[in-house]
Amino acid sequence: MKKLSVLLAAVTLLGCAGANKETDVKRLGFEAEARLLLARLTLVEMVGEMKQITLEHFGMSGPDGRFVLDEAKLRDGIVQHHLGSILNCGGQARTVQNWQEIITKMQEIATKETRLGIPIIYGIDTIHGANYVLGATLFPHNIAMAATGDVALMERTGEIAALETRAAGIPWNFGPVLDLARQPMWPRVFETFGEDPYLASVMGAAYIQGQQGKDLSSPVKVATCMKHYLGYCWPYSGQDRTPAYIPERQLRQWFLPPYRAAVQAGTVTCMANSSEINGVPVHASKYYLTDLLRGELGFRGLVVSDWADIENLYKREMVAKDRREAVKMAVLAGVDMSMVPEDYSFYDTLLQLVQDGEVPMKRIDEAVGNVLRVKYALGLFKDPYPRKDRAASVGAPSSRQVNLRAAQEAMTLLKNENHVLPLAKGRKVLVTGPCANKLSVLNSGWSTTWQGDQEQLYPPEKNTILEAIQEKLGQENVACVEAVTFDKEIDIAQAVTAAAGADVIVACIGEPAYCETPGNITDLAMTEPQLRLVRELAGTGKPIVLVLVQGRPRVIRPIVDLAQAILMAYVPGLEGGQAVADVLVGDVNPSGKLPLTYPKYSGVVWWYDHKASEEKGGNKFDPQWEFGHGLSYTTFTYRALRADASEMTLKDTLPITVEVTNEGDRPGQEIVQLYLSDVVASVTPPVKVLKRFQKIELKPKEMKVVRFDLTWDDLAFIGLDHKPIVEPGEFKAQIGQMSVGFTARDDRR
Ligand code: GLC
């Protein structure tokens, strides 16, 4: 039936929502306080609030790993240059005591030695826990948290990361990352919540809620920063910070929804995408940073540049002839604060631009107003100092328990033939591979150091995969031969020999630690030494269990059939080794589901929400494993999928129910996923789109009825005019292998 197009009257989470501007502004507030203070600031003080300098500029690490401030440099920055913000860790994580000293000194100078005593706002990357606070809880990275499908757990990890960050005296976290994993080569896939906008929206909003709570001035909450707005994650080449070519419709269908959800969740700051979209650097785009972000999404917070990305406008993107033009472009586009971050060049240049009338005071007022409102919301004017009594909250045992549960729930069992898993106690096991006995691979980037590759800086008491398996099965039953590094063979023959004495082989392969551009690869295939190790071990005839420790889905097609079981561990954090062992021996029943489409080939990129043409007319949708895939040690069956009605109209909700039964003899968790298909649409419809998910726990033989209420908004997609529309007609709701149809009818005609 030809569908009539109706403009969507309501809003939906999936990229078609108009943020509630009032709520967002109310949530940040402090308009009056900021206005009063603004009126008292001189131009140099205002421009000072718009720049952010990195900690490295104000001191250095001492021999004991403590950061030692150069007070003269610090005073020069804060008093002479009116510096409003400082960031980063100075090269490595610090103790909470050291952080408290650093922040206290900064705030003392800022509040007691400057004319108006405006406090500093300190920003840091708390990407998977307070990763720059020694002893903090390092959670699974976002890609693994997405695999848990556990929204409450996501919020809880956000709460803990916030309290441990604020304990250090740091009130601003450059997170969450709301990019999508749609280019599997991209080195920051592990920082994302996967390929789906809805999953990223829900997890991102939960994280923001956990981090910010209801009162940003609380000593256990921090300001969040949705990043990297937007489209940074889809570089055509797969190389970090290279051009993305994103049609507007696609931008609004995929990449915008998580940011809209974050604004609705109340995030108070935003970091711009380092790179460009269709030839337009986001840092220079008024359309992206003002019209879309503030005009359409209703964002009222502070926009900060990414690292040196205003400078990059004339050094890398080449859209500005010099610094003066770059600063003018970025500030007029909507950047409120420049993460310069090495010197005062931005300050001097912007001062000159304002004095020359090339940047209007109105823009400066806006930018500084946004900075001040965030500082007021954080309570920094009332009390900018760290709370000594909060230091003890870092790395609490209760937080470790949450971290272990998160890592356990992230584990995604991709294959398990002949029930080779769980491993029976008493079996002889050979553990091998470059990920078997390291903590750095379990944590990767943003872990104690930027690259996360300093093995010696990780807490020695934490278990690697090998150590955890040895604890479970007994050292005498577990041998280990690393056999290869990521890019070199060491001694595969030794592993083959050792396999003779084993009943089963656990091959831990994947990726080393990396962060951002240093993590670029030119081939998505798993590295050859690791593939060869598995091939040689397969020749022994012993069953092989693959454990994949990786930030992105490396292609393992050549060895998939050689392994009887495959466990995706992602980058599971400090408790990841323990969690892998817990699952391998069956102390934990795996429940994770892939938050991305796992590629079978390096040369083709498929997503779960692909188009019919990709699986018709001779084309084949043929990933290694589909988005949403994940096995359990028990069996869940789905029955009686029902839609409460055969049609729905604008004002209706349509309950969809399904019975889920645990047929096995052990309890288990299952992430029930509801997908929707728009059968015919004016834009080629995806074969399915994730609309809801719910994680349930079932005892043996227990059945639960799971209900999802679809609304008219869920039927929306971004139409040819780049606006959200719902086109009445046939739809299909799918859960598991079942589907039920219904009709959307426009009852206003
Ligand atoms: C980096 C990253 C960004 C981070 C910032 C500060 O280049 O792109 O995610 O928040 O710089 O460390």
Side-chain angles (χ1 to χ4, degrees):
M1 167 188 137
K2 174 84 184 78
K3 289 183 168 178
L4 303 174
S5 293
V6 289
L7 195 56
L8 182 70
V11 292
T12 174
L13 184 59
L14 253 192
C16 310
N20 177 335
K21 295 184 178 49
E22 187 39 43
T23 307
D24 180 64
V25 169
K26 195 168 65 219
R27 195 184 284 260
L28 188 54
F30 300 98
E31 304 281 350
E33 292 86 343
R35 219 179 352 265
L36 280 173
L37 181 50
L38 263 178
R40 300 170 56 203
L41 287 178
T42 64
L43 177 59
V44 291
E45 290 164 339
M46 293 176 85
V47 170
E49 287 299 314
M50 293 174 67
K51 72 176 178 295
Q52 185 182 61
I53 303 288
T54 186
L55 181 63
E56 289 88 323
H57 188 78
F58 301 110
M60 61 194 305
S61 296
D64 57 359
R66 286 177 63 258
F67 191 84
V68 180
L69 285 170
D70 176 331
E71 288 198 20
K73 276 197 159 185
L74 187 61
R75 196 160 273 110
D76 170 65
I78 295 174
V79 180
Q80 274 68 44
H81 286 87
H82 312 287
L83 182 57
S85 182
I86 297 173
L87 84 146
N88 226 351
C89 65
Q92 68 182 76
R94 312 292 169 181
T95 63
V96 62
Q97 291 75 15
N98 189 196
W99 273 119
Q100 291 197 349
E101 290 160 8
I102 293 166
I103 303 295
T104 298
K105 176 49 71 184
M106 288 176 177
Q107 300 296 17
E108 280 174 349
I109 294 173
T111 56
K112 295 178 179 149
E113 301 183 28
T114 63
R115 186 175 73 89
L116 292 171
I118 299 175
I120 290 282
I121 179 169
Y122 201 100
I124 205 149
D125 295 284
T126 280
I127 303 301
H128 62 125
N131 35 257
Y132 285 146
V133 180
L134 284 176
T137 311
L138 296 197
F139 290 102
H141 272 284
N142 286 347
I143 197 69
M145 290 309 298
T148 69
D150 192 330
V151 181
L153 183 59
M154 185 76 242
E155 181 173 342
R156 183 72 189 111
T157 63
E159 285 173 356
I160 294 169
L163 74 86
E164 295 189 358
T165 302
R166 196 80 188 245
I170 298 170
W172 183 17
N173 168 24
F174 301 135
V177 172
L178 295 178
D179 298 301
L180 299 182
R182 288 200 167 242
Q183 170 39 286
M185 292 265 287
W186 188 50
R188 304 190 74 169
V189 159
F190 68 83
E191 297 180 59
T192 75
F193 290 114
E195 75 187 35
D196 179 65
Y198 175 73
L199 179 56
S201 298
V202 172
M203 293 311 234
Y207 183 80
I208 289 164
Q209 179 54 40
Q211 290 252 299
Q212 296 193 165
K214 302 228 176 314
D215 175 7
L216 281 175
S217 68
S218 155
V220 295
K221 296 301 177 187
V222 295
T224 58
C225 181
M226 60 181 186
K227 74 181 187 181
H228 307 80
Y229 173 85
L230 81 165
Y232 170 39
C233 51
W234 208 28
Y236 186 77
S237 69
Q239 308 297 288
D240 187 34
R241 291 177 161 86
T242 61
Y245 303 99
I246 309 177
E248 183 71 8
R249 212 186 65 71
Q250 221 58 38
L251 188 90
R252 290 169 173 275
Q253 187 71 57
W254 290 343
F255 301 109
L256 192 62
Y259 293 98
R260 196 187 288 279
V263 170
Q264 291 186 322
T267 187
V268 293
T269 78
C270 169
M271 186 181 293
N273 162 8
S274 262
S275 187
E276 62 160 90
I277 300 175
N278 308 333
V280 178
V282 171
H283 280 77
S285 168
K286 182 175 173 302
Y287 169 66
Y288 292 125
L289 292 182
T290 298
D291 305 344
L292 186 55
L293 178 64
R294 296 185 186 281
E296 196 173 318
L297 296 193
F299 178 67
R300 287 291 175 278
L302 138 69
V303 173
V304 64
S305 80
D306 200 342
W307 189 275
D309 281 319
I310 294 178
E311 292 282 285
N312 285 326
L313 293 176
Y314 73 96
K315 289 182 177 172
R316 187 184 67 196
E317 315 306 334
M318 311 309 291
V319 293
K321 66 180 186 306
D322 56 21
R323 172 176 291 136
R324 182 184 169 90
E325 195 172 52
V327 169
K328 179 179 176 180
M329 265 180 184
V331 172
L332 292 182
V335 175
D336 298 322
M337 180 183 282
S338 169
M339 185 187 292
V340 192
E342 311 276 7
D343 57 35
Y344 297 105
S345 57
F346 171 84
Y347 171 79
D348 303 326
T349 308
L350 183 52
L351 270 180
Q352 196 58 58
L353 283 163
V354 177
Q355 285 153 356
D356 296 348
E358 291 194 43
V359 171
M361 270 311 293
K362 180 175 178 299
R363 179 75 263 282
I364 304 296
D365 280 344
E366 270 171 13
V368 179
N370 293 331
V371 175
L372 295 179
R373 289 193 295 121
V374 174
K375 289 186 175 182
Y376 273 114
L378 284 166
L380 296 178
F381 284 92
K382 285 205 180 87
D383 179 1
Y385 296 104
R387 292 262 301 267
K388 294 232 179 310
D389 62 335
R390 298 298 310 159
S393 64
V394 174
S398 57
S399 302
R400 177 192 176 278
Q401 285 312 314
V402 174
N403 192 16
L404 178 58
R405 184 156 71 85
Q408 291 167 341
E409 289 198 30
M411 295 295 134
T412 305
L413 185 60
L414 301 176
K415 178 180 181 182
N416 188 20
E417 266 170 5
N418 315 321
H419 299 291
V420 69
L421 289 180
L423 301 176
K425 310 267 183 188
R427 304 202 64 188
K428 299 283 184 194
V429 178
L430 167 66
V431 180
T432 182
C435 294
N437 198 22
K438 289 186 190 72
L439 291 172
S440 55
V441 299
L442 300 172
N443 292 278
S444 199
W446 308 111
S447 304
T448 314
T449 62
W450 178 46
Q451 291 298 309
D453 56 357
Q454 300 299 303
E455 192 69 29
Q456 74 285 3
L457 293 179
Y458 285 92
E461 72 277 8
K462 293 298 177 186
N463 275 341
T464 63
I465 294 173
L466 169 68
E467 289 162 343
I469 295 174
Q470 285 174 331
E471 267 183 19
K472 292 276 182 186
L473 300 179
Q475 297 234 3
E476 68 285 359
N477 293 318
V478 181
C480 179
V481 176
E482 188 178 17
V484 298
T485 66
F486 296 101
D487 48 15
K488 268 201 302 301
E489 295 185 13
I490 303 173
D491 189 344
I492 292 181
Q494 187 192 1
V496 171
T497 306
D503 301 317
V504 63
I505 299 164
V506 176
C508 305
I509 63 174
E511 295 189 306
Y514 57 81
C515 196
E516 299 189 58
T517 309
N520 277 344
I521 54 175
T522 54
D523 186 344
L524 193 56
M526 185 64 77
T527 59
E528 188 47 37
Q530 299 184 88
L531 294 174
R532 194 163 109 65
L533 168 64
V534 174
R535 277 197 293 266
E536 293 299 314
L537 287 170
T540 68
K542 297 292 173 70
I544 295 174
V545 174
L546 279 188
V547 178
L548 304 177
V549 182
Q550 52 187 358
R552 67 200 133 188
R554 304 300 288 265
V555 172
I556 57 169
R557 181 187 68 263
I559 59 172
V560 165
D561 293 343
L562 303 180
Q564 281 64 36
I566 302 175
L567 181 69
M568 177 71 157
Y570 309 96
V571 187
L574 274 181
E575 303 302 335
Q578 191 59 51
V580 166
D582 288 341
V583 168
L584 291 184
V585 303
D587 290 346
V588 165
N589 187 357
S591 62
K593 301 288 185 187
L594 282 177
L596 45 69
T597 303
Y598 200 113
K600 183 181 276 187
Y601 309 95
S602 290
V604 60
V605 178
W606 281 305
W607 306 295
Y608 86 91
D609 54 355
H610 58 279
K611 302 301 181 72
S613 58
E614 297 178 80
E615 54 187 39
K616 286 182 176 172
N619 286 322
K620 219 174 128 207
F621 173 63
D622 184 21
Q624 195 68 60
W625 292 288
E626 290 208 31
F627 174 92
H629 171 69
L631 304 174
S632 170
Y633 290 149
T634 185
T635 306
F636 295 103
T637 52
Y638 288 71
R639 294 186 184 86
L641 174 64
R642 281 197 195 84
D644 263 22
S646 59
E647 70 171 31
M648 73 181 290
T649 63
L650 178 66
K651 59 184 180 308
D652 296 334
T653 57
L654 179 62
I656 306 282
T657 55
V658 68
E659 295 175 2
V660 186
T661 304
N662 176 355
E663 306 289 355
D665 55 8
R666 61 176 295 163
Q669 293 178 298
E670 174 74 341
I671 303 171
V672 182
Q673 305 153 54
L674 169 68
Y675 295 88
L676 194 64
S677 305
D678 189 344
V679 177
V680 174
S682 54
V683 167
T684 52
V687 296
K688 65 181 184 179
V689 179
L690 181 70
K691 293 291 180 181
R692 297 282 190 282
F693 62 89
Q694 185 184 340
K695 188 162 201 174
I696 60 173
E697 177 119 24
L698 291 174
K699 299 185 192 65
K701 313 305 176 199
E702 183 184 10
M703 184 280 281
K704 271 183 186 166
V705 176
V706 177
R707 169 175 166 160
F708 298 111
D709 288 337
L710 283 178
T711 66
W712 190 257
D713 303 346
D714 291 312
L715 313 186
F717 64 90
I718 303 297
L720 290 169
D721 60 358
H722 303 162
K723 291 188 175 60
I725 53 169
V726 172
E727 295 178 339
E730 304 313 310
F731 286 82
K732 265 192 332 180
Q734 294 156 247
I735 298 180
Q737 300 306 314
M738 298 181 290
S739 68
V740 59
F742 64 90
T743 305
R745 180 170 58 80
D746 175 20
D747 60 353
R748 289 172 297 173
R749 292 182 184 284

